[in-house]
């Protein structure tokens, strides 16, 4: 598997891993409901279910998404190895497909919701200006498209048809992401305000990160330029699962952690139903179970034409791990660092996670070459909020079109030509989504059209942004659903 992800607290990493191993190898989980109780104990109160869910989801997710397979096997053995017979009688018939369809479609909505705001800010930058900032925003937008496609791969792997182009799948701006957040995401011109929103979108789940160190040889100039019918006493309902997310999930990374835990839970139940016993190691849990989808529908790396990041197909639990590692690593950092991969690997070149890329633009400095000793603790960790202090990243905030925030087609109704241009932009965006939809339905060659549509989108958006709407603002793309 590709990388380890941030699982830091204020404690040293070695202490955390040692504690995790001790917990995994112990049959007694202190101050927490056991995983079997969480799944099958009909006498459990909802308060205990929630507390158990917090503990077990964090434990299981940290082990699997950080490639600690040996410790995960010990964790499974400790949880299920000596399972009391009465628990086995409590196994509940849970229709996992509607639940995972809802939760994974929400993940698609989260990824989709970021793409129009990023593209809007990118298109609003006037040609010939802010080249480095443009490159950073473009790279993140492309990777969000990659994330969306990989979530579709996960849906196809469990034999659920993804949906990206229907009206109900469209974000409507301004909007809050479907988590416990207190900020709105909208369509705005390139500015310090819009970049601050992007930083909030990509915020890491954990407070500390390794301070950047460059004690290995690398080309620094290249780094700059790359730059459900259920029992009444069963809490595993879609309403309860979504309710837990709305109350306890504050970042995209945390959403994927909880979603991953839910997927593993359904795979454990499917294994029990098939084998009459619970899995005690990853090999048993990896294949079969809920992964009944047609592999021919998977979009594979050679079929994806975007740059940046790595596309993973999904045919088993290992594929889900790879997808979620990629998404979380690109968003908030991998291996306790500011990078989206371990910089010692150089798999596809070192790149910062999205959160840190946007911070570079906001603070007008690169992280590379900065002095972070004033921010570091004795373990070489610094707060993720630490500003970049390296080489200047020139930004001219005035070189962007003054687009009206969150425009709608109805704003252009009195100007027929402008309205027609807005309609054509939305048709192009719809065709882009239609191409992706066709691809995730098994017609992978349709992805080739996405490049053509992306070029057309920029041209149409810039033409809109050049036209005054009133004395203070210009028009802009609306990214609204439209019939073709």
């Amino acid at each position: 598997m590709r990388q380890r992800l941030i699982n830091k607290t204020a404690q040293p990493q070695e202490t955390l891993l040692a504690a995790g191993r001790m917990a995994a190898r112990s049959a007694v989980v202190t101050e927490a409901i056991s995983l079997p109780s969480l799944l099958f104990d009909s006498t459990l109160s909802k308060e205990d279910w929630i507390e158990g869910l917090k503990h077990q989801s964090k434990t299981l997710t940290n082990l699997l998404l950080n490639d600690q397979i040996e410790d995960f096997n010990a964790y499974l053995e400790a949880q299920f190895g000596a399972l009391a017979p009465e628990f086995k009688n409590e196994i509940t018939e849970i229709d996992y497909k509607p639940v995972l369809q809802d939760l994974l479609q929400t993940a698609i909505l989260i990824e989709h919701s970021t793409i129009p705001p990023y593209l809007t800010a990118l298109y609003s930058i006037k040609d010939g200006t802010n080249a480095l900032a443009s490159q950073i925003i473009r790279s993140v937008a492309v990777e969000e498209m990659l994330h969306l496609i990989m979530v579709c791969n996960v849906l196809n792997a469990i034999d659920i048809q993804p949906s990206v182009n229907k009206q109900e799948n469209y974000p409507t701006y301004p909007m809050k992401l479907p988590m416990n957040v207190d900020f709105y995401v909208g369509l705005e011109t390139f500015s310090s305000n819009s970049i601050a929103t992007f930083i909030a979108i990509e915020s890491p789940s954990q407070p500390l990160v390794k301070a950047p160190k460059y004690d290995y040889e690398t080309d620094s100039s290249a780094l700059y330029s790359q730059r459900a019918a259920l029992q009444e006493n069963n809490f595993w309902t879609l309403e309860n699962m979504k309710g837990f997310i709305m109350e306890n999930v504050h970042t995209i990374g945390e959403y994927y952690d909880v979603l991953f835990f839910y997927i593993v839970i359904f795979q454990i139940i499917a294994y029990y139903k098939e084998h009459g016993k619970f899995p005690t190691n990853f090999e048993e849990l990896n294949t079969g179970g809920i992964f009944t989808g047609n592999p021919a529908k998977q979009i594979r790396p050679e079929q994806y034409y975007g740059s940046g990041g790595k596309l993973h197909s999904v045919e088993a639990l290992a594929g889900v791990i790879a997808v979620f590692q990629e998404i979380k690593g690109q968003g908030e950092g991998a291996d306790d660092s500011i990078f989206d991969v371990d910089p010692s690997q150089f798999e596809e070149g070192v790149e910062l996670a999205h959160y840190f890329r946007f911070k570079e633009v906001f603070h007008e400095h690169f992280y590379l070459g900065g002095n972070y000793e004033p921010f570091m603790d004795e373990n070489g960790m610094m707060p993720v909020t630490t500003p970049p202090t390296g080489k200047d990243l020139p930004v001219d905030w005035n070189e962007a079109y003054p687009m009206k925030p969150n425009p709608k087609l109805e704003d252009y109704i009195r100007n027929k030509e402008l309205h027609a241009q807005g309609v054509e932009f939305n048709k192009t965006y719809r065709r882009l989504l239609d191409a992706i939809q066709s691809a995730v339905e098994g017609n992978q060659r349709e992805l080739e059209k996405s490049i053509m549509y992306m070029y057309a989108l920029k041209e149409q958006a810039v033409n809109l942004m050049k036209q005054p709407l009133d004395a203070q603002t210009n028009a802009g793309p609306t990214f609204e659903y439209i019939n073709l």
Side-chain angles (χ1 to χ4, degrees):
M1 294 174 193
R2 174 170 183 271
Q3 63 193 33
R4 292 188 299 111
L5 297 171
I6 293 176
N7 65 345
K8 280 295 301 175
T9 68
Q11 299 170 265
Q13 177 74 3
E14 293 75 11
T15 303
L16 282 173
L17 293 181
R21 292 188 180 100
M22 289 176 62
R25 292 190 170 101
S26 171
V28 178
V29 180
T30 60
E31 299 182 2
I33 303 300
S34 71
L35 188 56
S37 294
L38 190 63
L39 286 171
F40 311 123
D41 187 354
S42 60
T43 66
L44 207 63
S45 69
K46 188 168 184 179
E47 291 75 15
D48 284 344
W49 181 79
I50 290 173
E51 289 306 309
L53 185 56
K54 288 179 182 178
H55 177 88
Q56 298 296 347
S57 64
K58 183 177 181 180
T59 301
L60 184 152
T61 299
N62 276 342
L63 292 173
L64 280 183
L65 292 188
N66 287 288
D67 294 340
Q68 298 173 42
I69 301 302
E70 180 182 346
D71 292 336
F72 174 73
N73 291 344
Y75 166 81
L76 278 184
E77 178 63 33
Q79 293 291 318
F80 292 119
L83 189 63
E86 59 266 23
F87 277 131
K88 297 184 179 181
N89 295 328
E90 294 289 342
I91 187 115
T92 304
E93 288 292 327
I94 302 176
D95 188 358
Y96 65 87
K97 282 193 175 183
V99 175
L100 290 184
Q101 181 176 29
D102 187 287
L103 297 174
L104 284 163
Q105 279 293 152
T106 299
I108 289 176
L109 176 62
I110 290 172
E111 302 297 346
H112 189 175
S113 299
T114 68
I115 295 170
Y118 294 166
L119 291 180
T120 298
L122 173 65
Y123 297 155
S124 71
I125 297 174
K126 296 179 180 178
D127 285 345
T129 70
N130 293 308
L132 290 171
S134 295
Q135 180 184 1
I136 287 171
I137 300 172
R138 182 184 299 109
S139 69
V140 175
V142 169
E143 289 173 2
E144 298 297 352
M145 192 74 74
L146 172 73
H147 298 173
L148 185 152
I149 290 172
M150 288 196 294
V151 175
C152 291
N153 274 350
V154 175
L155 275 161
N156 272 326
I158 54 181
D159 198 26
I160 300 174
Q161 179 61 60
S163 179
V164 299
N165 63 342
K166 294 182 180 179
Q167 187 168 5
E168 57 266 29
N169 304 132
Y170 267 61
T172 303
Y173 303 101
M175 63 172 290
K176 283 188 176 182
L177 298 180
M179 302 176 292
N180 188 3
V181 297
D182 58 2
F183 63 89
Y184 284 86
V185 178
L187 305 176
E188 299 182 29
T189 192
F190 174 72
S191 67
S192 59
N193 286 337
S194 58
I195 296 299
T197 299
F198 299 166
I199 291 171
I201 291 172
E202 304 286 354
S203 292
S205 308
Q206 304 297 338
L208 297 176
V209 67
K210 289 179 183 175
K213 292 182 180 179
Y214 299 90
D215 50 3
Y216 48 84
E217 292 187 6
T218 185
D219 180 3
S220 61
S221 63
L223 292 180
Y224 287 128
S225 60
Q226 290 181 356
R227 285 255 338 174
L230 301 170
Q231 294 178 6
E232 188 174 352
N233 59 354
N234 173 55
F235 298 117
W236 292 93
T237 65
L238 177 60
E239 180 183 7
N240 284 337
M241 295 164 77
K242 290 178 72 173
F244 178 84
I245 288 172
M246 291 304 297
E247 290 295 324
N248 297 281
V249 171
H250 308 279
T251 70
I252 294 175
E254 288 176 350
Y255 184 89
Y256 278 104
D257 281 348
V258 175
L259 175 55
F260 178 75
F261 178 70
Y262 290 159
I263 290 172
V264 175
I265 288 299
F266 287 124
Q267 181 68 347
I268 289 172
I269 293 173
Y271 182 91
Y272 178 83
K273 290 172 65 177
E274 183 177 351
H275 299 279
K277 66 184 185 71
F278 290 98
T280 55
N281 60 69
F282 179 78
E283 184 177 358
E284 292 177 343
L285 194 62
N286 184 33
T287 58
I290 67 174
F291 298 103
T292 60
N294 182 359
K297 287 189 174 184
Q298 291 292 310
I299 296 180
R300 303 183 185 276
E302 64 272 16
Q303 298 162 332
Y304 179 69
Y305 300 91
S307 59
K310 180 180 292 185
L311 188 142
H312 299 275
S313 57
V314 180
E315 296 180 30
L317 185 58
V320 180
I321 292 173
V323 165
F324 284 19
Q325 285 179 331
E326 186 78 24
I327 292 173
K328 287 192 63 185
Q330 287 185 341
E332 61 181 37
D335 199 25
D336 299 331
S337 78
I338 67 174
F339 299 101
D340 65 6
V341 297
D342 181 340
S344 66
Q345 295 178 13
F346 291 98
E347 293 182 358
E348 59 265 331
V350 177
E351 181 60 275
L352 298 185
H354 297 175
Y355 173 82
F356 299 100
R357 286 185 234 176
F358 285 136
K359 282 180 71 69
E360 287 185 324
V361 177
F362 184 85
H363 292 283
E364 303 179 32
H365 283 274
F366 287 100
Y367 275 96
L368 187 62
N371 177 18
Y372 299 97
E373 290 184 3
F375 305 98
M376 293 165 55
D377 63 18
E378 65 276 10
N379 301 303
M381 308 300 291
M382 68 180 188
V384 296
T385 54
T386 303
T389 61
K391 181 180 176 181
D392 287 347
L393 192 167
V395 176
D396 188 341
W397 299 105
N398 295 317
E399 289 296 326
Y401 297 107
M403 190 195 85
K404 176 183 178 179
N406 304 306
K408 305 293 183 187
L409 278 179
E410 63 186 34
D411 297 330
Y412 310 150
I413 201 70
R414 296 182 180 179
N415 185 327
K416 290 184 179 180
E417 182 177 350
L418 191 58
H419 186 270
Q421 290 179 23
V423 167
E424 285 305 308
F425 176 91
N426 289 336
K427 286 183 177 180
T428 301
Y429 189 64
R430 168 67 189 276
R431 292 185 181 105
L432 171 64
L433 296 182
D434 285 351
I436 295 173
Q437 181 66 39
S438 181
V440 301
E441 290 177 359
N443 306 305
Q444 290 89 343
R445 289 188 62 87
E446 287 293 298
L447 275 183
E448 298 175 12
K449 297 178 181 178
S450 63
I451 299 175
M452 172 184 67
Y453 293 136
M454 289 298 290
Y455 279 114
L457 280 177
K458 179 179 180 180
E459 181 179 357
Q460 293 170 337
V462 171
N463 286 338
L464 284 164
M465 291 178 176
K466 288 180 177 179
Q467 300 184 60
L469 191 59
D470 53 42
Q472 287 80 37
T473 62
N474 288 9
T478 67
F479 289 93
E480 292 173 279
Y481 177 84
I482 197 166
N483 290 314
L484 296 179

